[in-house]
Amino acid sequence: MNLELLKNSLSGIKKHFIDASPVLTIVLGSGWSEVISPLKVLQSIDYSDIPIMGESQVKGHTGKLLLLEHEGKKIVVFQGRHHWYEGCGWDAIAFPVFLTKELSIKSMLLTNAAGSLSKSVKPGDLMIIDDHINAMSNNPLTGKHEPYWGPHFPDQSEVYDLELRNILDSACKDSNATYHHGIYIAKDGPTYETPAEVQNLHSMGGTAVGMSTVPEAILANSIGLTVAGLSCITNLAAGVGDAKLTHEEVLSETTKAMPIITSVLEKTLLAI
Ligand code: HPA
């Protein structure tokens, strides 16, 4: 990660949020963009106006940094994320985490679309991430250590904060969502997995697989933020189901789940 670029970008953006005192940052994954539509927009900045972010390259990732309000609480929302497979390095992936820290926001909610590694977790279900397995080929903290990234060897015994997981659990229950607690496995992508890889990921202990979230969770945990993760299960991973996988299917399943995930988000915000 490039500390100088990060710090310059942070100082450019921080001034737009002065005095806002947001309580949470949310990063919205594939197809999640519309989940914030009931919330009041106080501030909207296109990623293309934030040099470190650049335009969103993936369909289903809107590419806006928002300041929103719900029942008097303010939140920062990244409407779309960058991924390792985009080949742009870690800076744009790390920016939401370090902006959260710079704005003195304590917590982050990381959302994503994920493929289920077993038939018992179905498309349309939600999964509260209890823990993760980093099966990517890299780690955002690889490289020269800077104290700004937190300790050189961060503890990861509770990356996903128990209190936030309990809040998500109650929000899912109160929204009548079909939901699970599980282990999210991150792969590099952009290919979906082969059936043999899916079998392997399941036997490693994974519940669902995706191409994001874990890098942000590692960074946020390292600098002492409390982290929560919520997956919308969009498909059975390769070999678990018969269907060929497409990004369009992933986006349309998230759209179908929108009323439930909107309710979960609203109830979560009330409890934070
Ligand atoms: N694999 C990897 N990433 C994904 C999947 C999947 O099956 N579904 C949504 N994101």
Side-chain angles (χ1 to χ4, degrees), residues 102-122:
E102 292 289 334
L103 296 176
S104 303
I105 303 171
K106 282 200 342 244
S107 306
M108 280 193 101
L109 171 60
L110 305 170
T111 69
N112 60 51
S116 168
L117 297 171
S118 74
K119 284 207 162 86
S120 56
V121 176
K122 298 187 172 54

Side-chain angles (χ1 to χ4, degrees), residues 174-185:
D174 295 347
S175 303
N176 290 322
T178 306
Y179 70 101
H180 311 262
H181 285 258
I183 310 297
Y184 177 88
I185 302 197

Side-chain angles (χ1 to χ4, degrees), residues 113-116 187 191-193 209-211 232 234-238 245 250:
S116 168
K187 293 281 293 169
T191 48
Y192 291 115
E193 301 68 35
V209 58
M211 305 175 195
C232 177
T234 53
N235 57 282
L236 297 175
L245 306 184
V250 165

Side-chain angles (χ1 to χ4, degrees), residues 167 226 229:
I167 288 175
T226 54

Side-chain angles (χ1 to χ4, degrees), residues 27 81-82 90 93-94 96-97 108 110-111 140 212-221 227:
V27 179
R81 62 150 58 80
H82 285 286
W90 292 119
I93 297 170
V97 176
M108 280 193 101
L110 305 170
T111 69
S212 69
T213 304
V214 165
E216 293 107 309
I218 289 173
L219 293 171
N221 174 67
V227 181

